[in-house]
């Protein structure tokens, strides 16, 4: 079976700082996603990518950049961390076209805290 | 707007009791429907999914869900819960609205006590 690895597991930043989260998958999946998980709000899509070098904005893309330089990796950058921001960022991947009947495989998440 | 609603933020049941977690979606067509589970400090894992056919679908660990078009619902059930079922459960719908998208509910925290 495959695995999705997210690094780091925990990330503490300062207000205004640029922060980068990384995600690697060895499923050989075409599509990768970044979701933000806030307590009581479910998961909200930040960016997704259907192939290497492709980027598509989700509902929550403002304040974030993404990069898919290889099929196996998808990174997310918080362009300017907001004070007291706290959330979990989940990376996921799936076979074929996005948002189809194919299941998503998720990483364990990166927990962000901004001081 | 298309949405997925899980009306119960928290559910508490005793071990061995039956369980129903509710999910309602707002969409004119029939979406792909999913239930995912998130155990503590882990990512989400698929429990089951539905698109067509028998409205009752079986999943892992004894979970099942029933699709109702008339009610726009996809409720999750289990006949007898175990303490290890304590987790956060998410309902999700893949819909076509200005492009395809996957919409998640807010999640239901399930606590099973001994």
């Amino acid at each position: 079976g495959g695995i999705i690895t997210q690094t780091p597991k925990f990330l503490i930043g300062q207000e205004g700082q640029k922060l980068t989260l990384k995600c690697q998958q060895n499923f050989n999946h075409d599509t990768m996603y970044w979701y933000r998980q806030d307590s009581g709000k479910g998961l909200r899509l930040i960016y997704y990518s259907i192939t290497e070098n492709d980027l598509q904005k989700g509902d929550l893309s403002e304040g974030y950049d993404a990069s898919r330089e290889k099929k196996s990796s998808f990174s997310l950058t918080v362009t300017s961390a907001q004070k007291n921001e706290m959330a979990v960022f989940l990376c996921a991947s799936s076979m074929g076209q996005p948002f189809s009947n194919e299941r998503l495989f998720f990483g364990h998440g990166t927990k962000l805290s901004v001081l | 707007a298309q949405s997925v609603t899980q009306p119960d933020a928290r559910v508490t049941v005793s071990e061995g009791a039956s369980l129903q977690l509710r999910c309602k979606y707002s969409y004119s067509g029939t979406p792909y429907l999913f239930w995912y589970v998130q155990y503590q400090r882990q990512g989400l894992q698929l429990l089951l999914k539905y698109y067509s056919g028998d409205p009752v679908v079986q999943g892992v660990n004894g979970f099942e869900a029933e699709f109702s078009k008339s009610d726009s619902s996809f409720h999750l059930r289990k006949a007898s819960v175990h303490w290890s079922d304590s987790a956060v459960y998410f309902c999700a719908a893949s819909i076509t609205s200005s492009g395809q998208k996957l919409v998640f509910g807010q999640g239901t925290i399930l606590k099973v006590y001994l």
Side-chain angles (χ1 to χ4, degrees):
Chain A
I3 190 169
I4 294 184
T5 303
Q6 291 186 237
T7 55
K9 285 186 170 57
F10 300 95
L11 184 56
I12 299 175
Q14 302 287 332
E15 184 181 11
Q17 193 176 1
K18 179 187 283 190
L19 302 166
T20 298
L21 293 68
K22 294 185 182 298
C23 176
Q24 295 266 349
Q25 55 101 357
N26 63 359
F27 289 101
N28 199 34
H29 284 165
D30 296 308
T31 306
M32 295 186 74
Y33 313 79
W34 275 107
Y35 282 93
R36 176 179 164 128
Q37 181 178 14
D38 293 277
S39 179
K41 291 185 180 178
L43 276 66
R44 292 179 290 173
L45 182 66
I46 306 172
Y47 268 97
Y48 69 100
S49 166
I50 62 175
T51 189
E52 187 177 320
N53 294 318
D54 174 74
L55 292 174
Q56 306 287 337
K57 292 184 178 181
D59 297 326
L60 208 64
S61 61
E62 189 171 335
Y64 302 95
D65 287 328
S67 173
R68 182 106 182 261
E69 294 178 357
K70 295 190 300 184
K71 186 177 182 180
S72 61
S73 66
F74 192 31
S75 63
L76 180 73
T77 298
V78 180
T79 56
S80 179
Q82 301 298 304
K83 188 173 175 65
N84 296 324
E85 182 175 9
M86 187 178 296
V88 175
F89 293 84
L90 293 171
C91 176
S93 70
S94 67
M95 285 177 56
Q97 292 297 307
F99 315 125
S100 64
N101 64 341
E102 293 291 339
R103 62 180 289 186
L104 269 62
F105 291 81
F106 285 84
H108 286 197
T110 293
K111 187 170 184 178
L112 171 68
S113 297
V114 181
L115 304 177
Chain B
Q2 282 72 24
S3 65
V4 175
T5 301
Q6 294 179 245
D8 304 308
R10 287 179 174 269
V11 170
T12 302
V13 296
S14 61
E15 189 174 57
S18 63
L19 172 72
Q20 177 172 278
L21 301 181
R22 296 182 291 164
C23 173
K24 300 262 297 188
Y25 64 90
S26 169
Y27 179 58
S28 56
T30 298
Y32 299 118
L33 294 162
F34 306 81
W35 274 100
Y36 284 87
V37 61
Q38 184 180 33
Y39 299 104
Q40 197 168 17
R41 291 187 291 275
Q42 294 190 27
L44 279 70
Q45 302 169 35
L46 181 71
L47 278 177
L48 45 79
K49 65 179 182 180
Y50 172 82
Y51 177 60
S52 64
D54 188 337
V56 178
V57 290
Q58 304 297 320
V60 297
N61 295 335
F63 285 94
E64 67 176 27
E66 183 166 7
F67 167 70
S68 170
K69 189 174 177 67
S70 61
D71 196 37
S72 298
S73 67
F74 189 53
H75 301 327
L76 182 71
R77 301 189 299 237
K78 187 169 184 179
S80 176
V81 295
H82 187 265
W83 64 268
S84 60
D85 292 324
S86 297
V88 184
Y89 291 79
F90 291 94
C91 181
S94 182
I95 61 176
T96 302
S97 171
S98 302
Q100 195 78 3
K101 61 193 298 185
L102 181 65
V103 179
F104 283 84
Q106 303 93 319
T108 297
I109 299 171
L110 174 66
K111 296 282 191 190
V112 180
Y113 62 92
L114 298 173

